[in-house]
Amino acid sequence: MYYELYLRSFADGNGDGIGDLKGATKKLDYLAELGVDGIWLLPITSSPAYHGYTVTDYYNINPTYGDIKDLKTFLDEAHKRKIKILLDIPLNHTSPNHIWFQRALAGEKPYVDWYLWLRNEKWLNARRPWDGQPVWSKLGGKWVYTLFGPGSPDLNYESHSLWEEIKRVLAFWLAIGFDGFRFDAAKHIFDFSMEKGYCEYQHDRNISFWKEMIDYCKKINPHSIFIGEVWDSKEIVDMYSSVFGMGFNFSLSYVIKESVSELSPWRLVEGVKNTMSNYFDENRNYDFGIFLTNHDMSRLVTYMNGNKEKALLALSTLVSLPGVPFLYYGEELGMEGEYREFYNEEQLEPFQWFEAGYGPLQAEWKACGKNLPYKGISLEYQQNVDNSYYQRVKKLFEFRKQNSWIENAMILEMQNSDGLVSIELVGNGKSAMFIHNYTMGEKIVDKNKDPILLNGYLKHGEEFLLGPLSSAVIIHK
Ligand code: ACG
């Protein structure tokens, strides 16, 4: 399981209240115990932004997080625990404070070619495809293309000298010891048509760019791992993922969350058949990164309107599906946070290590409006409570870790019988059937099959009764 780690909010190693590499290094045993064997590290490169997605220097770490020595220690200690580390690197745009952009504004070559300048007034009418926001900004007196707003002028990959520079950037971080990359905004490398004067995803050109970057990285480290962020339909994700080797299955995250929140077992079965269709047969040429939430979304318990049993059913469903699971930091505690465009900090609140909200390594860079102290959210509290939310999530990922064959399994069959959803998996000489109760009533399950409780409750008696929103598994062999 990969853990999506936002360093600023995880663990503070130098007492300045801001999470950093020293702090995260001290928490690697905690992650290993949770069943983590990979970390998606949100951007740590120099950036003026709390989120880190607007870079000012691709060859340096944000000093708030530490230095190269701290990073190498973090990577070494992670590798000692067999935990791989993927660096999240935003290559679609930089910060306007990046020296490249400053030199570009001054008209200096090659930098001036590394950004997309307005050439036709009509282009100003262009709008962002998913929310209609303007995509041109006047910076330093010049109109420049900024898909993600004025704080992030887009890099212009029409310039091939930029491709060579990006290869040097990737080689730099692989040489430091990263196992690979999460490529941010992967479908936006070429997303503005200068002929038509509006935003248009040029998937073929994007894919040939990523193919060249990945082939280059593979020459440096043949075992390097890549996952592209392509927030789009399964069909579009399919196109990119065969180049990256792994793609986030955004559509599945909606299917599971909506099916659970509406308690709609048929929606789940139909949705999984559509969004995971390539796991219903053997010949699959890439993996899906499967997840429920990330830093661009509301947290799971918030999505479920505070209903923790529904959140646990969603997590039980996730770990019963093939693919590579990703867990967003703090979701193991049931932390809350609503994602709101333009003010998206609630889902980025500091990880709650201590019930009082204070203690060694506790990050304090922002107040916890949604995850208040003394509310039983903290790890300190939940670690000492039997069957707490944390204990139950930990049990799910321990099960998943002990059954790593599921990652590459094939879905033999999936059906809904009166609200009891069964998922039959086979792979690597093993097979199992998961049973999820998508109703608020107890359901009889076949006791002769010796079902094992995964989450919720299972009454053993004349008949075996699986509790509401509960899950069980039958390990065939
Ligand atoms: C990445 C990072 C995000 C970061 C940036 C910029 C990019 O994860 O944290 O912002 O570096 C779009 C982009 C993504 C981007 C998100 C935030 N995420 O494609 O790369 O915006 C539709 C569109 C998607 C769009 C999504 C946004 O298709 O392109 O993502 O909406 O909600 C179904 C459909 C699917 C549709 C969804 C949702 O799934 O199939 O197409 O997606 O419904 O409607 C960071 C900060 C920002 C800051 C920026 C500079 O977080 O605040 O502004 O940096």
Side-chain angles (χ1 to χ4, degrees):
M1 174 255 282
Y2 274 85
Y3 193 80
E4 181 189 348
L5 202 159
Y6 179 46
L7 207 55
R8 184 178 291 271
S9 283
F10 195 58
D12 166 28
N14 64 2
D16 65 357
I18 300 176
D20 51 38
L21 289 161
K22 281 197 173 78
T25 303
K26 292 194 178 111
K27 290 296 184 181
L28 286 169
D29 288 334
Y30 161 75
L31 294 175
E33 203 201 327
L34 184 63
V36 170
D37 43 32
I39 290 175
W40 156 18
L41 188 62
L42 266 62
I44 62 168
T45 27
S46 306
S47 167
Y50 67 89
H51 50 67
Y53 282 95
T54 49
V55 176
T56 49
D57 180 354
Y58 281 108
Y59 297 97
N60 219 329
I61 299 172
N62 184 331
T64 308
Y65 293 151
D67 55 26
I68 294 286
K69 186 168 152 303
D70 297 330
L71 175 57
K72 286 188 171 170
T73 305
F74 172 71
L75 292 166
D76 292 352
E77 290 300 321
H79 291 153
K80 281 185 194 149
R81 293 163 178 80
K82 301 207 173 348
I83 297 178
K84 295 192 179 313
I85 312 289
L86 304 184
L87 175 64
D88 191 335
I89 191 152
L91 298 173
N92 174 69
H93 46 266
T94 68
S95 160
N97 307 345
H98 195 303
I99 188 69
W100 295 352
F101 187 70
Q102 294 305 312
R103 289 183 175 161
L105 275 177
E108 204 181 313
K109 289 276 185 183
Y111 309 104
V112 69
D113 301 331
W114 290 3
Y115 293 88
L116 181 55
W117 309 99
L118 189 75
R119 294 185 207 149
N120 177 331
E121 289 292 317
K122 290 203 186 78
W123 293 2
L124 289 173
N125 305 326
R127 289 290 178 270
R128 197 155 75 173
W130 64 90
D131 61 2
Q133 291 296 311
V135 292
W136 290 89
S137 303
K138 202 167 197 174
L139 300 175
K142 296 181 176 167
W143 284 103
V144 65
Y145 183 59
T146 58
L147 181 79
F148 290 101
S152 48
D154 274 55
L155 286 167
N156 176 15
Y157 285 90
E158 299 292 345
S159 156
H160 269 264
S161 64
L162 176 59
W163 292 43
E164 296 317 307
E165 181 65 36
I166 296 301
K167 286 176 185 174
R168 284 189 284 277
V169 169
L170 300 175
F172 175 82
W173 293 108
L174 288 176
I176 284 182
F178 278 101
D179 300 285
F181 300 102
R182 180 260 191 190
F183 288 126
D184 181 60
K187 69 176 185 180
H188 296 290
I189 298 297
F190 294 101
D191 66 356
F192 185 81
S193 164
M194 290 184 248
E195 292 71 43
K196 301 169 186 160
Y198 54 72
C199 295
E200 180 193 58
Y201 299 126
Q202 298 157 38
H203 296 306
D204 296 347
R205 300 187 71 195
N206 293 340
I207 288 167
S208 54
F209 166 77
W210 289 118
K211 192 163 182 344
E212 180 160 331
M213 295 304 120
I214 286 167
D215 290 352
Y216 178 79
C217 290
K218 289 272 185 193
K219 288 202 191 83
I220 298 169
N221 170 1
H223 307 297
S224 42
I225 301 163
F226 312 97
I227 185 162
E229 185 231 9
V230 179
W231 191 338
D232 213 305
S233 66
K234 179 180 178 307
E235 292 62 38
I236 302 293
V237 173
D238 279 349
M239 287 162 55
Y240 285 82
S241 302
S242 43
V243 171
F244 290 121
M246 188 162 48
F248 287 113
N249 192 330
F250 282 91
S251 305
L252 177 71
S253 73
Y254 291 102
V255 162
I256 296 176
K257 289 187 288 190
E258 288 163 7
S259 302
V260 170
S261 112
E262 299 152 17
L263 282 188
S264 171
W266 66 267
R267 167 120 177 63
L268 180 79
V269 173
E270 286 317 301
V272 169
K273 286 183 176 170
N274 296 335
T275 60
M276 293 284 279
S277 54
N278 41 343
Y279 280 87
F280 280 81
D281 59 44
E282 246 126 13
N283 44 18
R284 194 170 38 78
N285 64 356
Y286 66 84
D287 298 325
F288 265 143
I290 59 172
F291 67 101
L292 294 172
T293 61
N294 66 22
H295 64 290
D296 290 332
M297 296 174 172
S298 295
R299 287 186 172 279
L300 187 58
V301 172
T302 301
Y303 183 98
M304 298 299 176
N305 301 318
N307 185 325
K308 291 193 171 179
E309 291 305 323
K310 280 190 171 182
L312 286 161
L313 175 61
L315 284 163
S316 308
T317 306
L318 185 78
V319 300
S320 72
L321 288 168
V324 181
F326 280 73
L327 184 73
Y328 181 44
Y329 87 94
E331 291 289 27
E332 71 268 37
L333 299 181
M335 285 177 64
E336 294 227 34
E338 184 185 356
Y339 178 87
R340 289 199 304 263
E341 184 74 15
F342 306 117
Y343 171 75
N344 56 7
E345 289 191 19
E346 276 187 18
Q347 78 294 356
L348 298 171
E349 289 188 357
F351 186 97
Q352 290 301 296
W353 298 101
F354 299 96
E355 196 53 9
Y358 297 94
L361 300 174
Q362 176 64 53
E364 303 172 39
W365 70 279
K366 74 181 298 300
C368 286
K370 296 293 285 189
N371 300 287
L372 299 169
Y374 305 111
K375 293 288 184 205
I377 292 170
S378 73
L379 181 71
E380 179 187 37
Y381 177 88
Q382 295 197 61
Q383 263 179 338
N384 303 311
V385 174
D386 280 351
N387 226 24
S388 66
Y389 187 91
Y390 164 73
Q391 303 284 16
R392 293 166 69 179
V393 173
K394 188 162 177 279
K395 184 173 167 227
L396 289 174
F397 285 104
E398 270 168 5
F399 171 87
R400 185 58 195 242
K401 180 120 183 170
Q402 288 146 11
N403 293 274
S404 55
W405 63 273
I406 294 173
E407 196 166 297
N408 296 308
M410 190 173 84
I411 304 174
L412 212 53
E413 195 182 2
M414 186 169 181
Q415 58 186 335
N416 158 36
S417 60
D418 188 23
L420 213 50
V421 174
S422 61
I423 306 173
E424 190 88 29
L425 299 183
V426 62
N428 200 4
K430 294 192 164 57
S431 70
M433 181 160 83
F434 291 86
I435 307 167
H436 301 287
N437 183 353
Y438 270 62
T439 74
M440 292 310 292
E442 290 182 337
K443 289 283 182 184
I444 297 172
V445 291
D446 182 348
K447 69 179 180 185
N448 302 323
K449 296 206 173 119
D450 193 18
I452 306 161
L453 178 65
L454 202 55
N455 174 59
Y457 72 81
L458 178 62
K459 281 189 190 152
H460 295 198
E462 202 31 50
E463 290 165 322
F464 278 22
L465 293 174
L466 186 61
L469 309 182
S470 299
S471 303
V473 59
I474 297 161
I475 304 287
H476 297 323
K477 56 178 184 295

